[in-house]
Amino acid sequence: MSKEHIIPDPIAAGLARGWKVIDAASLNEDRALRADVVIVGSGAGGGISAEILARSGLSVILVEEGALKSSRDFNMREAEAYPALYQESAARKSADKGIDILQGRTVGGSTTVNWTSSFRTPPDTLEWWRRQYALPGATVEASAPWFEMAERRLKVGDWQAAPNENNDILRRGARQLGIPTGFIRRNVNACWNLGYCGMGCPTNAKQSMLVTTIPAALDHGATLVTRARAERLAIRKRQVEELVCHALGADGLAPTGRVLRLRARHYVVAGGAINSPALLLRSGAPDPSGMLGRRTFLHPTLISAAFFPQRVDAWAGAPQTVYSDHFLHTGPVDGPMGYKLEAPPLHPLLLATKMSGFGQDHAATMRDFPHMHAMLALLRDGFHPESQGGHVRLRADGSPELDYPLNGYLWDGARRALLSMAEIQFAAGAREVQVGHEMAPRYASWQAARKAIPDLPQRIHLTRVVSAHVMGGCAMSGDERLGVTDAEGRYRGLGNLSVHDGSLFPTSVGANPQLSIYGLTTRLASTLAAALTGRPAEPLA
């Protein structure tokens, strides 16, 4: 790659220009700060909100629990990336340890470590929200201008390179069976096609909040506070008076004893769909609907591995470029649980901790790593009476955990998904398939897999379930009985608090959620900026 294709590090350049960045780990005394708006969280919702509000002339403080990292820190090493960039070192789990949950914990949040997959909110999801949650603006037509603005800002577009072998196996196998597939749009600029997006982009090609909206907000005078844990909102007479934050040490974990008190006219909670409800619960926020932290949704995700005669090298090349929604649309949205198929990148550490088996069986899997293909089925949760998701609750120390029961309705979807993935992999030429289940051997033929998979007992700790998508817990609704927030993201019961992240979604999305958050937050932040300034918001650049 020639030097003209290397995008300069915007973090280093901005710090040299004099950005206002406070690393709470370095504080030797308590601090008090004041602004027009305080934003908690710097991911998809917080980053978009920060740019729009700062461009509108409002003073903004952006608070992040993780550290400020940049391309100079992203060396494509898993052992360093996961502790530095993910919640709980990429080992966050549901309360019963049945689901592994991947979420970012760094400036830029999950946008810094995601795989760049960019889907607009599916039309049937929007229609469900419109009808069931009294959200008249949840239509394709009303959402389109906001999606377009976010897509221009973040360079979301069609991926021009051919899919790597890992993704092309999904495409070829599905084609053999007459199953339609599509290509995934990505938010990248001058991408090097490395395949290590989950460890932070070392070339600044990924158009995450880290290199787009946050630098823009800082250039417009915003202040970024890092390694500061938002502990509680001080509430009095239906208003937030201040945000109390605990400074964290250099490890980003243990409090140093220093306290930051942040005061503002308005507060935006954008910590993600586990941390946002948790902050509000710790703060004793009013909850007139009784829904705070409830109906929190994942895309519970099943895994199927296949072994091919040829090398797959699933770590190399753009991580996700092919998908199929065929099994999302086999019936009504509130019928049997549908699922989206994608092909994830594989890296040794993440694979070793997510695949089933142990001892000699696990060692054999790792020896076949270069020849391994992986497929994911993302189950669409939240549209059926037996599909209530989970709820965020607080541990004794105030930290959050997600209780997410898995019931028969979901296990029925899991069983069908494992069958679909195995059939596609064999159709693509796999010599063996091993689905993510502790009791599943390697199957040598589709006939053997088709016979055995339906009899696998589906339950936690046997079936491997993961998720990188957390949604809900502060659901928006026009009906105050069904939602914690209203259609503009305003928190019911508090006059100066909004929520701007994926916790707003009343159900799961049915697609990778980053673009849904971008589009929705672009609208909400623009409306909020206009309300606070009395003039139309400055658009995203």
Side-chain angles (χ1 to χ4, degrees):
M1 183 67 65
S2 60
K3 287 185 178 180
E4 60 266 23
H5 290 98
I6 297 175
I7 301 173
D9 183 347
I11 306 303
L15 291 171
R17 288 197 301 274
W19 278 350
K20 290 182 285 187
V21 176
I22 299 171
D23 180 0
S26 66
L27 294 179
N28 54 22
E29 60 183 5
D30 295 348
R31 292 286 299 273
L33 302 172
R34 185 179 293 271
D36 293 318
V37 184
V38 166
I39 302 172
V40 182
S42 64
I48 290 281
S49 297
E51 178 173 356
I52 289 174
L53 295 168
R55 281 187 179 278
S56 297
L58 295 161
S59 58
V60 173
I61 299 173
L62 185 62
V63 182
E64 169 57 48
E65 184 175 290
L68 175 60
K69 304 287 186 179
S70 76
S71 53
R72 64 184 181 273
D73 303 300
F74 302 149
N75 55 23
M76 307 193 302
R77 294 174 184 166
E78 289 182 278
E80 296 178 23
Y82 301 147
L85 304 176
Y86 285 78
Q87 293 284 350
E88 301 178 38
S89 298
R92 175 169 271 185
K93 295 180 181 294
S94 57
D96 59 13
K97 308 299 186 288
I99 309 174
D100 295 346
I101 302 169
L102 297 174
Q103 287 183 292
R105 184 179 180 267
T106 186
V107 174
S110 293
T111 74
T112 299
V113 295
N114 70 20
W115 297 335
T116 76
S117 301
S118 301
F119 295 92
R120 294 189 181 187
T121 312
D124 53 1
T125 299
L126 289 171
E127 176 61 15
W128 185 265
W129 294 352
R130 187 187 68 80
R131 289 189 291 109
Q132 300 294 327
Y133 290 91
L135 295 171
T139 67
V140 171
E141 294 76 19
S143 302
W146 304 107
F147 280 130
E148 290 166 3
M149 185 185 298
E151 287 164 350
R152 284 195 303 271
R153 175 68 179 96
L154 304 174
K155 294 182 169 55
V156 174
D158 297 335
W159 178 237
Q160 300 301 316
N164 65 3
E165 179 67 2
N166 193 48
N167 281 269
D168 205 46
I169 284 169
L170 168 56
R171 185 188 64 83
R172 296 196 310 262
R175 183 179 60 191
Q176 286 292 110
L177 300 171
I179 295 171
T181 60
F183 292 108
I184 299 175
R185 301 167 77 211
R186 308 181 65 219
N187 60 311
V188 295
N189 179 36
C191 177
W192 288 31
N193 203 20
L194 296 174
Y196 285 72
C197 304
M199 298 167 217
C201 181
T203 69
N204 297 309
K206 184 198 300 188
Q207 299 297 282
S208 68
M209 302 300 93
L210 177 66
V211 300
T212 55
T213 61
I214 292 173
L218 292 171
D219 280 339
H220 282 78
T223 298
L224 172 64
V225 181
T226 66
R227 289 194 274 205
R229 178 174 294 149
E231 187 63 27
R232 62 181 177 86
L233 299 157
I235 297 170
R236 184 171 181 270
K237 294 182 179 180
R238 299 173 64 88
Q239 295 283 316
V240 177
E241 288 194 331
E242 67 178 4
L243 173 68
V244 179
C245 299
H246 290 174
L248 302 177
D251 63 358
L253 299 174
T256 65
R258 301 303 178 191
V259 175
L260 295 95
R261 297 182 179 276
L262 310 181
R263 291 202 161 211
R265 292 168 55 196
H266 198 89
Y267 297 81
V268 174
V269 175
I274 290 179
N275 291 341
S276 285
L279 171 60
L280 292 162
L281 289 167
R282 283 196 302 272
S283 306
D287 184 17
S289 68
M291 296 298 292
L292 176 59
R294 297 191 174 272
R295 288 187 63 82
T296 301
F297 291 102
L298 306 173
H299 289 135
T301 299
L302 287 303
I303 308 167
S304 185
F307 304 90
F308 284 80
Q310 75 275 19
R311 289 181 67 104
V312 177
D313 295 342
W315 61 85
Q320 284 184 323
T321 55
V322 175
Y323 75 99
S324 177
D325 280 351
H326 173 73
F327 298 100
L328 269 181
H329 303 302
T330 54
V333 68
D334 57 344
M337 187 173 283
Y339 45 92
K340 185 184 197 77
L341 299 182
E342 296 175 346
L346 294 181
H347 297 280
L349 196 158
L350 194 63
L351 169 66
T353 57
K354 305 308 176 193
M355 276 304 296
S356 55
F358 58 92
Q360 291 300 317
D361 290 341
H362 194 280
T365 295
M366 297 309 296
R367 280 195 297 271
D368 283 340
F369 180 41
H371 295 266
M372 184 187 298
H373 161 79
M375 198 179 302
L376 301 178
L378 287 65
L379 300 181
R380 179 177 57 190
D381 207 356
F383 298 84
H384 188 274
E386 297 179 37
S387 180
Q388 296 296 316
H391 73 272
V392 175
R393 63 193 188 193
L394 300 178
R395 302 184 182 100
D397 65 355
S399 63
E401 66 178 1
L402 176 62
D403 183 26
Y404 208 93
L406 302 176
N407 59 18
Y409 173 75
L410 186 142
W411 289 129
D412 172 71
R415 185 176 292 106
R416 289 183 285 106
L418 292 175
L419 281 165
S420 297
M421 291 189 288
E423 184 176 15
I424 290 170
Q425 288 168 322
F426 278 118
R431 54 179 172 82
E432 291 179 309
V433 168
Q434 185 171 25
V435 298
H437 191 287
E438 292 295 337
M439 296 175 63
R442 291 194 188 187
Y443 304 115
S445 69
W446 165 233
Q447 290 74 22
R450 181 173 57 185
K451 181 179 179 180
I453 289 174
D455 293 331
L456 292 172
Q458 299 294 332
R459 60 176 185 264
I460 63 168
H461 306 141
L462 287 182
T463 307
R464 285 283 180 162
V465 185
V466 301
S467 183
H469 306 153
V470 191
M471 300 150 281
C474 296
M476 62 192 313
S477 174
D479 184 337
E480 63 184 15
R481 298 167 299 176
L482 302 177
V484 173
T485 52
D486 66 16
E488 299 305 322
R490 295 292 191 112
Y491 189 86
R492 289 193 169 94
L494 293 173
N496 63 339
L497 178 70
S498 298
V499 179
H500 287 182
D501 61 18
S503 68
L504 292 169
F505 299 152
T507 65
S508 73
V509 175
N512 307 59
Q514 74 158 344
L515 184 51
S516 291
I517 300 171
Y518 292 150
L520 176 61
T521 303
T522 299
R523 176 176 71 81
L524 299 182
S526 297
T527 302
L528 177 60
L532 293 176
T533 64
R535 58 182 183 274
E538 289 292 322
L540 289 171

